[in-house]
């Protein structure tokens, strides 16, 4: 049996994804395909390191060991062919914390900061929460695929004088692995207009198709880009709150470090992160293979059973973005039907803008549960019934 098909107790009282779904969506016994956690046990190497650390019996204030930074730098060299020094790496409890710190470090209150929606919601909060002006450079869709709108970006840079951009690479929820050409186009604009980039690359290890390039590894970008990574998505350790910033430029690093301020590491998180980066590779490869299978399965299932929905097959992440607007149902109706159908997915409106009428489905669960969840979605949205209704209303819906 594939290890990712193993049945594990998921409905734990301390699981946000499983225990909070009913409360959050006001439903009962919902199958949760929302929060970006995987329903898979963490790598054995991580669990063994945690057991050993627990058995040591001491949980005093922790020190970040050099071996942890070495493990991070080795991982980046091995997986992404990106050579960084151990001293280029900063520890933080999470990427959302890093995004907020970057906004504080690289802009002033009232300054404009650019993001590219639809995008992970906390990007917007990181900007507005620190009293900065949010500037949107929406992604565009060409031939059924999301892409960057660099012409719009340039006009926004001219118009607003923004000096900071928060990049999501690979992109959540669009599922894009940005091409070298797209990243080079973005980098060229950043150099021309003197823009710093905080590049959230938390999904960089979850590549289903293609290859990920760190923006900061492009020529001339080390001086203007900081990169955020974490073992949390890669090895399913989000609850252990560990992330890292890579800033090879000393000035950028010092400013981020100051903005982050005091942060206490946790001895269990240190043990888990180090073991994951040192010994988690075999697990990750097997997990990616399983996720590729789930992605293909979900794409085929939805295309066949809900043909009017527009499915954006992810190139990275285990999150599938689906445009339901061609079904002609209101956002409220979609929400009501899904909850009644006992399934929870992320609503598109949570992704800042350009998300209305879409949903994001988390595919990282065992295949049997995924099939159950997709079945619930299709039944709830009433396939052919909804289509007839939409046609009767003369609604085509964008992106159809
Ligand atoms: C793009 C992106 N950034 C950050 C996070 C959360 O990071 P953290 O839990 O380290 O704050 C997520 C979680 O889904 C994400 O998708």
């Amino acid at each position: 049996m594939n290890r990712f098909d193993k049945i594990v107790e998921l409905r734990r009282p301390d699981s946000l994804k499983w225990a909070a779904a009913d409360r959050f969506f006001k439903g009962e016994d919902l199958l949760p395909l929302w929060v970006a956690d995987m329903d898979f046990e963490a790598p054995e190497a991580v669990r063994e390191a945690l057991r050993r650390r627990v058995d040591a019996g001491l949980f005093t204030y922790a020190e970040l060991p050099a071996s942890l930074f070495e493990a991070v730098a080795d991982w980046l060299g091995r997986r992404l062919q990106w050579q960084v020094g151990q001293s280029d790496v900063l520890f933080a409890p999470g990427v959302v914390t890093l995004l907020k710190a970057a906004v504080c470090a690289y802009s002033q209150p009232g300054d404009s900061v650019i993001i590219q929606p639809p995008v992970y919601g906390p990007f917007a909060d990181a900007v507005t929460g620190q009293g900065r002006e949010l500037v949107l450079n929406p992604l565009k869709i060409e031939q059924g695929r999301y892409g960057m709108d660099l012409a719009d970006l340039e006009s926004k840079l001219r118009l607003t004088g923004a000096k900071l951009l928060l990049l999501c690479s690979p992109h959540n929820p669009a599922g894009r692995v940005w091409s070298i050409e797209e990243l080079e186009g973005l980098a060229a604009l950043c150099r021309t207009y003197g823009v710093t980039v905080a590049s959230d690359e938390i999904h960089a290890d979850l590549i289903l198709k293609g290859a990920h390039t760190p923006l900061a590894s492009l020529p001339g970008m080390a001086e203007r880009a900081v990169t955020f990574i974490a073992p949390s998505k890669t090895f399913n350790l989000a609850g252990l709150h560990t992330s890292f910033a890579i800033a090879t430029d000393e000035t950028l690093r010092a400013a981020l470090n100051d903005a982050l301020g005091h942060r206490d590491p946790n001895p269990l998180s240190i043990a888990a992160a180090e073991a994951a980066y040192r010994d988690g590779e075999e697990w990750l490869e097997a997990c990616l293979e399983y996720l590729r299978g789930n992605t293909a399965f979900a794409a085929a299932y939805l295309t066949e059973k809900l043909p009017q929905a527009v499915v954006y097959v992810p190139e990275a992440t285990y999150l599938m973005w689906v445009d339901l607007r061609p079904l002609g149902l209101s956002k409220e109706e979609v929400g009501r039907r899904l909850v009644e159908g006992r399934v929870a997915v992320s609503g598109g409106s949570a992704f800042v803008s350009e998300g209305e009428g879409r949903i994001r489905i988390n595919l990282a669960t065992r295949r049997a549960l995924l099939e159950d969840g997709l079945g619930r979605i299709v039944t709830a949205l009433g396939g052919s019934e909804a289509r007839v209704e939409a046609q009767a209303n003369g609604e085509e819906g964008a992106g159809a």
Side-chain angles (χ1 to χ4, degrees), residues 47 202 316 319 342:
R47 294 155 69 206
I202 195 168
L319 307 164
R342 293 188 301 114

Short mmCIF file of all heavy atoms in Angstrom, two decimals, residues 47 202 316 319 342:
data_model
loop_
_atom_site.label_atom_id
_atom_site.label_comp_id
_atom_site.label_asym_id
_atom_site.label_seq_id
_atom_site.Cartn_x
_atom_site.Cartn_y
_atom_site.Cartn_z
N ARG A 47 9.76 12.41 12.66
CA ARG A 47 9.11 11.88 13.87
C ARG A 47 10.14 11.21 14.78
O ARG A 47 10.08 11.34 16.00
CB ARG A 47 7.99 10.93 13.45
CG ARG A 47 6.90 11.73 12.72
CD ARG A 47 6.08 10.90 11.79
NE ARG A 47 5.27 9.97 12.52
CZ ARG A 47 4.83 8.81 12.04
NH1 ARG A 47 5.17 8.43 10.83
NH2 ARG A 47 4.08 8.05 12.77
N ILE A 202 7.41 29.77 -0.12
CA ILE A 202 7.06 28.68 0.80
C ILE A 202 6.65 27.40 0.05
O ILE A 202 6.81 26.30 0.56
CB ILE A 202 5.93 29.13 1.77
CG1 ILE A 202 5.81 28.17 2.96
CG2 ILE A 202 4.60 29.28 1.09
CD1 ILE A 202 4.93 28.70 4.10
N ALA A 316 2.39 23.67 -9.21
CA ALA A 316 3.03 23.54 -7.90
C ALA A 316 1.91 23.63 -6.86
O ALA A 316 0.80 24.06 -7.18
CB ALA A 316 4.02 24.67 -7.65
N LEU A 319 -2.94 22.68 -4.25
CA LEU A 319 -4.17 23.48 -4.16
C LEU A 319 -4.70 23.72 -5.57
O LEU A 319 -3.94 24.19 -6.44
CB LEU A 319 -3.85 24.81 -3.47
CG LEU A 319 -3.14 24.65 -2.12
CD1 LEU A 319 -2.49 25.95 -1.67
CD2 LEU A 319 -4.10 24.12 -1.06
N ARG A 342 -21.84 18.88 2.76
CA ARG A 342 -20.85 18.47 3.76
C ARG A 342 -19.42 18.43 3.23
O ARG A 342 -18.69 17.48 3.40
CB ARG A 342 -21.26 17.12 4.39
CG ARG A 342 -22.54 17.22 5.23
CD ARG A 342 -22.83 15.97 6.01
NE ARG A 342 -22.98 14.83 5.12
CZ ARG A 342 -22.14 13.80 5.09
NH1 ARG A 342 -21.14 13.72 5.91
NH2 ARG A 342 -22.36 12.81 4.26
#
